[in-house]
Amino acid sequence: MWSKEFFSRVQDKCKRYPQAMNAYEHFRRQAEPALDKPIDIPLSGSGWSHDYNCPNDGDRLVLIDRHHHRCPTCSSVWSGSPWDEVAIANEHWNYGRICRNAALIYAMEGGERWGEWAKRVLLIYARQYDRYPLHDRYGGAGHTSGKVMCQTLSEASWLCLLAQGYHILERQGVFTAEESRMIADQLLLPALDVIANNPAGISNWQTYHNAAKALVAAALGDEEMMRQAVHDPENGFYFQMANSLGEDGFWYEGAWGYHFYTLEAQTLIVLAGESFGLRLYEEPRFQSMFRAPLECMLPDGTLPPIHDSGEVSLTRYAHLYEMANRYFGLGSEIVARGPRESLYSILFGFEEAQGGRNQAEIADDGFVHLQKAGMLFMKRQASSPELGRVATIDYGEHGGWHGHQDKLNLLYYAGGHPWLTDAGMLPYGNSIHFDYFKQTAAHNTVAIGGRSQAEAEGVVEWTRAHPDGTLEAVMAVDGAYPGARLRRKVVLHADVLLDVFHVQCEAEQQVDWIIHTQGRPAAGAGSPEWSPAAEAALGTEDGYAFFRDVRRADSDGSRWSMEWTWDDSGGSGDRLQLIGLAAENAEELYLAETTAMPAVGKRSSLVRRRRGRETVFISIFRAVRGLAEGEPLQADYDSAAQQVRIRIGGGAPIVLSAELGGQ
């Protein structure tokens, strides 16, 4: 990597492929503005990125200048601590990024100003690094502290960029021997010493620690250092592959945002290995980190916001699939969807894969079971994204610090929309993330006694695929509440989704069945008669205080129905229909609005509340597309046969089993 021969091959590719040249010119234009400004590297340490949010609504702020920061949602302008310190952190990171990019442009085309700019940045940091105070986000100096950054994680991420910039320039013969020694001895190695204070084991932090060590090893040609980064039995690359991933390739924290966050660092380790002739990309579990998202993605190319993650679009990570497609032939369809303007597009794109095509291994229909994380995807694909359907159930590992109290959480994508959605996350510097987003009430599951579940881990009891494509699964969890057992059956049919939630408690309890949707409530035949309720009618603890504009209705024991349109105006005509079955006389219904990630704004939330020792909630969901009224949905439950009989318009009845099977 980064030799003159390497760049000669990249230059030749840009000459042969106009799209590769376009990608390079786009990359170059992005770096140019920095060269026209004086280098003004902050001489103070920095803050925590998750503090860079609006206290009012949790949206990430937009930089006005080093001391002023605007909220894009409410337009408030914030100044002072902790926002100013985060702005400084972003400046440090940007100097690292542009240093790496300017070094690469110099290697591609020459031009003294590119090489000189990157060299000056490295020398300034080398002269100043020892003067930065060891600090964390609170001003302390513990084992997690950084110097330029406030934690070893971000220190490592910043160091990765500078190590690459140094490596590229060093291979081009830019430095004197004295300058090389200064950068190595006063910047690269001391920064690694800071990071080494915090061995993290199974952790996304350790992945970036390893990447920084691997890239510094490659830059310095230090084989022993590279061996440590790869083979450390308690922290290294292979340790992470064996312990932080399941065989299915999903990162243990159960959040797609963190999956790709760590994959970025794992990819840097693999590329650093190229300098030593290591073929780390042949590691099956590394390859599986690229395969798992392809197997689980929704028909629109996204992954749902489960645990501490927002919605993830795979095209955002098309640059990683450029590398995967080149080295082992995986992800060509994601690459084709992306803009192909990234650094990895220039370095690895537009050439034949070394390892052949692996696309045949990606199944479009059936079950995808992420066993270590404990998530089951039930998929029925179709000829277009509008017709595909996916149900996702989170039943397994809590997910460590980034997990939510959400066992048996159900998500549902159908009719071109993610109708049943997860709460997602806010930046961790905002208390609402912990007060609501992580709580059980923010998820599509059951809460008992008005409190959140304990950290628990469930199991898949059984799955079944029918010849007509219908998929059934039953999941169960013990330990979410003392003396309670939760079981959920999900049946994914071509036209409807059947949800059967069975709750058993040792003593009589209040039981809430909760769902959230981005849709907007719409009146329809069979809708409950809603009346205003007190804001605290649902409760005030464990997230319930975030249910606003609460309305209440009573069930008379018969079935009832609800509809939501996808947008406020209902202009698209797309809607979600729900029929509630197995209603009981004591059932109370609540409809409310709840907070959501800033990109969503708010969600409509429905609660079915009962009291008892044992109860079962049966629900039918149907997604409808288009402006036409469509055929009416009817459903009845035969408790003796434990069957749900569904009819859509005048069509033949659909009979689905509501039985959960043996204990």
Side-chain angles (χ1 to χ4, degrees), residues 72-255:
T73 296
C74 69
S75 299
S76 297
V77 175
W78 304 92
S79 184
S81 185
W83 306 288
D84 292 4
E85 290 91 334
V86 183
I88 289 172
N90 292 338
E91 289 188 48
H92 282 305
W93 193 88
N94 278 321
Y95 273 111
R97 178 179 60 86
I98 299 170
C99 173
R100 189 273 314 273
N101 293 355
L104 186 139
I105 294 168
Y106 174 78
M108 281 284 289
E109 64 184 57
E112 184 175 337
R113 69 177 190 140
W114 294 105
E116 185 60 28
W117 193 94
K119 176 179 174 179
R120 283 184 61 204
V121 168
L122 286 161
L123 290 173
I124 290 171
Y125 274 122
R127 295 188 186 103
Q128 294 292 333
Y129 188 75
D130 186 55
R131 303 180 189 180
Y132 285 101
L134 192 68
H135 69 288
D136 60 21
R137 61 178 292 217
Y138 304 108
H143 71 284
T144 66
S145 301
K147 289 175 70 71
V148 169
M149 300 295 190
C150 71
Q151 55 185 11
T152 56
L153 170 61
S154 46
E155 194 95 351
S157 179
W158 166 80
L159 183 60
C160 286
L161 295 164
L162 292 180
Q164 290 176 88
Y166 170 78
H167 192 179
I168 294 168
L169 293 181
E170 192 276 334
R171 294 298 299 267
Q172 313 308 311
V174 168
F175 301 110
T176 66
E178 181 181 356
E179 289 169 336
S180 289
R181 283 195 299 272
M182 177 188 295
I183 293 169
D185 294 344
Q186 296 179 210
L187 174 60
L188 303 182
L189 294 175
L192 281 186
D193 288 341
V194 170
I195 294 165
N197 290 329
N198 185 27
I202 298 175
S203 166
N204 63 69
W205 287 46
Q206 186 60 43
T207 304
Y208 277 87
H209 297 174
N210 291 341
K213 178 178 281 191
L215 290 168
V216 170
L220 302 181
D222 190 327
E223 292 188 10
E224 174 57 24
M225 185 184 295
M226 186 68 192
R227 189 196 67 78
Q228 294 172 12
V230 173
H231 294 289
D232 182 334
E234 296 181 351
N235 297 286
F237 173 79
Y238 283 117
F239 170 86
Q240 292 279 348
M241 290 294 111
N243 295 279
S244 297
L245 296 172
E247 292 184 3
D248 46 60
F250 190 36
W251 187 252
Y252 80 97
E253 288 166 311

Side-chain angles (χ1 to χ4, degrees), residues 250-259 304-312 372-375 392-409 411 421-426 428 433 437-439 442-443 453 456 597:
F250 190 36
W251 187 252
Y252 80 97
E253 288 166 311
W256 289 112
Y258 277 97
H259 178 89
I306 302 176
H307 293 187
D308 281 354
S309 176
E311 180 183 83
V312 171
K372 180 174 177 58
M375 294 182 190
T392 305
I393 307 93
D394 178 6
Y395 71 87
E397 285 188 355
H398 180 69
W401 195 82
H402 296 292
H404 290 195
Q405 290 152 293
D406 64 348
K407 292 308 95 177
L408 303 188
N409 184 30
L411 311 181
T421 58
D422 190 276
M425 64 175 294
L426 288 184
Y428 308 136
H433 175 73
F437 282 80
K438 293 176 79 78
Q439 303 296 331
H443 299 84
Q453 300 171 359
M597 292 180 291

